[in-house]
Amino acid sequence: MENLQASNIVSLVGNGCIHIGNISADSSQSSKKLQSEPQQKNKFNEKTSNSKPKVHLDLADAPEPNLFYNRTSELTTLENWILGRTRLITILGLSGIGKTALTLQLIPQIQHEFDRIIWRSLRNSPPLASLQTDLIKFCRGGVPVPAPYPEERATTGGLPLLEYLRSHRCLIILDDVQTIFSSQQLAGNYQPGYENYGAFFKQLTESSHNSCLILLSWEKPREIAALECENRPCKSLQLKGLGPEAQEIFREKGLAEPEKWSELIDLYRGNPLWLNIVATMIQDLFSGSVSEFLSYDTLFLGDLESLLHQQCDRLTASEQQALAWLANTPEPADISKIPENLQLSPPELLKVMQSLGRRSLVETVKQNGRSHFTIGPVIREYITNKK
């Protein structure tokens, strides 16, 4: 789950009623009370029209809104996909890149497209049957879920949720999807007992219904690549780091020397969480002097190490070997020229590089019409320090 989320989305109004634009729900069903400033409340209430139907929602698992940085292009892309009746959207990126914040910011823009909106986190790895029951119960307004009739099983292909996604236009957001994948296997391979999630994603993409499922994940599910193409209702958004708009982080932290900020953004690849962590470190250790921080030969990681460990601890031995090779290669590497000390065959290396790409750990660079691969400075420093 992202540590930086969108602001100006949720306000608490009336007697315990969560309100998002024209969305309302009884907050007693939610484990959290999401609040914003009074002036933010008024801002959203101005957009609400009493003539429009209310949208039922359950944000019990949604994180509290916090900070959001400009993602206009990405929001437009997601909104267009939803308006175009895309059934499955995957938002991918490293921890802290802003997947959750972006999705929270998206909700007010597309809220009136849906009858129901529900946010669930998979951080505790719920079995698919439990998740389906939870989602159906929400669609039924909290009424217990009955056993499906045989004819219902026939029309929904054994997926009882599908009937509700056809009768209501629902937006289902599943966060922390990477937790149902296995560690020490290539990206997107499911833990034992969770393989049915792959069939679930595939069926929701291929079956006829009016709803939309959004997945937020560090890793791309292996089915998604096969399902994606220009004319199919399955899309992926690889979320990149921030550009100049990330300078707002440094203004908030009170850093000096604005002319050095762009170098800092590039080193930490515009990751909002990383930049917040490093900005705090610069303020604590160097009294806000960016040039003093940059004068050191090594790249400080500090609290980033524990975050990177969570991500890199999931890698296979082959992936770790390939990352170590890239960390020792200062220029982007041509994988057609495998060094002797890299004990991987060409087919094995291609699989490994594809998996690392699906984890957002490698970057692709075009040189002389060929794809070369490299890793960012933060990942390079982390891999080098592990030796």
Side-chain angles (χ1 to χ4, degrees):
M1 186 179 297
E2 302 301 327
N3 291 329
L4 300 175
Q5 290 90 30
S7 61
N8 301 338
I9 293 181
V10 181
S11 59
L12 199 69
V13 297
N15 296 318
C17 179
I18 296 175
H19 186 84
I20 299 186
N22 202 32
I23 304 177
S24 66
D26 185 351
S27 66
S28 64
Q29 297 179 4
S30 172
S31 63
K32 298 182 180 180
K33 291 185 178 180
L34 306 180
Q35 304 183 50
S36 60
E37 297 297 327
Q39 63 266 30
Q40 296 172 350
K41 236 189 270 184
N42 295 336
K43 177 181 175 182
F44 273 89
N45 288 342
E46 287 171 6
K47 295 181 180 179
T48 302
S49 167
N50 293 330
S51 63
K52 293 180 180 178
K54 291 186 183 296
V55 179
H56 301 283
L57 89 159
D58 182 345
L59 296 182
D61 281 4
E64 292 189 8
N66 194 350
L67 299 175
F68 179 78
Y69 303 98
N70 182 31
R71 294 280 196 181
T72 304
S73 173
E74 293 89 342
L75 285 169
T76 300
T77 296
L78 292 171
E79 186 173 3
N80 288 338
W81 286 350
I82 287 171
L83 292 175
R85 291 299 199 259
T86 301
R87 296 182 193 132
L88 178 61
I89 295 171
T90 309
I91 304 177
L92 300 158
L94 291 169
S95 177
I97 201 69
K99 301 181 294 295
T100 300
L102 177 66
T103 308
L104 282 167
Q105 189 73 2
L106 174 69
I107 291 174
Q109 297 194 15
I110 48 81
Q111 59 193 25
H112 299 304
E113 287 292 313
F114 296 95
D115 306 316
R116 290 164 168 76
I117 299 174
I118 184 169
W119 186 302
R120 285 292 178 263
S121 171
L122 302 188
R123 61 181 172 271
N124 294 322
S125 305
L128 180 60
S130 299
L131 177 68
Q132 277 205 83
T133 300
D134 182 30
L135 295 175
I136 293 172
K137 186 176 179 180
F138 170 68
C139 290
R140 290 172 55 84
V143 177
V145 180
Y149 294 110
E151 58 268 25
E152 287 179 335
R153 289 195 183 97
T155 59
T156 61
L159 185 65
L161 176 63
L162 192 56
E163 191 63 38
Y164 296 91
L165 300 186
R166 286 171 175 164
S167 57
H168 305 287
R169 180 141 162 82
C170 303
L171 175 63
I172 300 171
I173 300 158
L174 300 182
D175 200 354
D176 300 308
V177 172
Q178 71 278 350
T179 59
I180 62 173
F181 299 139
S182 289
S183 293
Q184 285 81 54
Q185 288 194 30
L186 295 178
N189 281 282
Y190 296 92
Q191 294 185 49
Y194 289 85
E195 297 88 349
N196 54 357
Y197 268 93
F200 172 65
F201 298 149
K202 188 172 186 290
Q203 192 169 354
L204 285 186
T205 300
E206 295 178 336
S207 300
S208 176
H209 60 83
N210 294 316
S211 297
C212 179
L213 175 65
I214 295 180
L215 308 179
L216 311 182
S217 181
W218 297 352
E219 301 176 17
K220 187 181 229 181
R222 60 186 180 188
E223 294 79 17
I224 301 300
L227 291 170
E228 286 175 319
C229 70
E230 194 69 28
N231 299 315
R232 294 190 73 171
C234 178
K235 306 287 184 186
S236 291
L237 178 65
Q238 182 70 51
L239 201 56
K240 305 294 185 183
L242 299 171
E245 57 271 17
Q247 294 183 13
E248 184 60 32
I249 296 171
F250 304 145
R251 290 191 190 93
E252 291 169 0
K253 297 289 185 180
L255 298 192
E257 304 157 309
E259 68 278 3
K260 300 284 187 180
W261 291 356
S262 60
E263 184 177 350
L264 207 56
I265 292 169
D266 185 55
L267 281 172
Y268 291 87
R269 290 301 192 256
N271 185 305
L273 178 57
W274 295 2
L275 292 173
N276 268 278
I277 289 173
V278 77
T280 299
M281 183 165 48
I282 292 171
Q283 194 61 262
D284 291 345
L285 298 179
F286 304 105
S287 302
S289 173
V290 176
S291 60
E292 187 176 353
F293 173 80
L294 293 173
S295 68
Y296 286 80
D297 292 334
T298 187
L299 191 65
F300 285 91
L301 298 182
D303 293 338
L304 289 181
E305 287 197 38
S306 60
L307 296 172
L308 293 168
H309 178 75
Q310 293 175 29
Q311 198 122 18
C312 293
D313 193 47
R314 301 175 62 84
L315 303 180
T316 65
S318 297
E319 287 176 305
Q320 292 177 18
Q321 194 181 150
L323 278 185
W325 168 51
L326 292 175
N328 287 319
T329 307
E331 297 298 323
D334 183 349
I335 61 172
S336 66
K337 301 172 182 176
I338 306 175
E340 291 182 4
N341 62 344
L342 191 63
Q343 298 172 349
L344 296 171
S345 67
E348 288 173 332
L349 182 57
L350 287 174
K351 281 185 180 180
V352 163
M353 297 306 292
Q354 183 181 46
S355 180
L356 290 171
R358 288 176 176 174
R359 298 185 197 271
S360 307
L361 290 173
V362 296
E363 302 171 6
T364 306
V365 180
K366 283 286 186 183
Q367 290 185 354
N368 300 320
R370 292 181 63 86
S371 293
H372 290 62
F373 297 86
T374 188
I375 55 177
V378 170
I379 304 297
R380 188 184 301 275
E381 187 70 23
Y382 175 79
I383 297 299
T384 303
N385 290 346
K386 277 186 64 179
K387 295 177 182 177

